Amino acid sequence: FRKIGNFSENFNCVFVNNATIDVQAGTLIFSGNKEFNGGTYNVASGARLETTNSLGVLSGTLSGNIQGTFLLNGTNSVAASTTATNALAGTGILMESGTIQGGGKFINETIFTINTNAAKYFTIGLFQNKGTFNLGMGTNINNVVYLSNSTIFENSTQGVVNAQGITFYNNG
């Protein structure tokens, strides 16, 4: 799937990706239900790939090169006995609002950044950080990421957590 042209495209439908999404210019928005079953994601500098609104299902290894923005918003789920891995090079994943949920495991191997003052929730079995996890981008916005439903956040030996204006809050 290749997005070209310096304008926005919004796919408000069920979209299942098992291959490559290449955003060369503009903004590509998935606002309907979506499944990212591994795959390769490339976003050029100045371009955006966004997930919003409806349910997203994550599994497998998300790889590729993000030079622009990969915005993972909305409600995204990792099913029990399933692992989703962020192995995106470049700027990695940015989350500004929404939820990562489910009984599975989300592994961050590269960069995962949380920002803005909108509500963010982790209600997932395990979020394992093996890369860089940024809580904020250097501006104290006095906001939190809620860890709910016994979510475990594990920072492994090679993981780095940068607290830069957002904190964790255990919400049960």
Side-chain angles (χ1 to χ4, degrees):
F1 187 100
R2 180 173 292 144
K3 161 71 177 83
I4 56 177
N6 198 16
F7 48 85
S8 292
E9 298 274 0
N10 183 5
F11 284 76
N12 188 1
C13 61
V14 175
F15 187 90
V16 178
N17 186 58
N18 299 306
T20 299
I21 294 177
D22 184 13
V23 183
Q24 296 181 356
T27 301
L28 177 59
I29 303 167
F30 292 105
S31 60
N33 290 354
K34 70 237 35 84
E35 291 184 26
F36 290 166
N37 302 317
T40 302
Y41 302 83
N42 297 312
V43 181
S45 179
R48 293 175 67 90
L49 171 60
E50 299 181 8
T51 69
T52 62
N53 302 334
S54 300
L55 180 64
V57 176
L58 306 173
S59 66
T61 300
L62 284 66
S63 62
N65 190 5
I66 309 300
Q67 295 304 309
T69 302
F70 185 141
L71 186 62
L72 186 67
N73 282 347
T75 301
N76 294 285
S77 183
V78 180
S81 303
T82 302
T83 300
T85 303
N86 170 26
L88 295 163
T91 59
I93 291 175
L94 173 63
M95 181 179 180
E96 293 182 337
S97 66
T99 302
I100 296 180
Q101 67 181 17
K105 181 191 323 184
F106 187 97
I107 300 172
N108 176 46
E109 292 185 345
T110 56
I111 298 173
F112 194 105
T113 301
I114 302 281
N115 205 35
T116 77
N117 59 0
K120 293 158 286 294
Y121 299 89
F122 286 3
T123 59
I124 189 164
L126 174 66
F127 188 105
Q128 184 178 42
N129 182 46
K130 295 181 175 183
T132 300
F133 189 85
N134 296 312
L135 284 162
M137 298 172 81
T139 302
N140 184 4
I141 58 176
N142 198 22
N143 200 268
V144 297
V145 176
Y146 295 98
L147 302 178
S148 302
N149 298 344
S150 302
T151 294
I152 297 171
F153 182 92
E154 176 187 307
N155 192 44
S156 62
T157 56
Q158 64 271 47
V160 174
V161 175
N162 294 315
Q164 304 177 99
I166 297 177
T167 59
F168 278 131
Y169 181 79
N170 186 353
N171 197 27

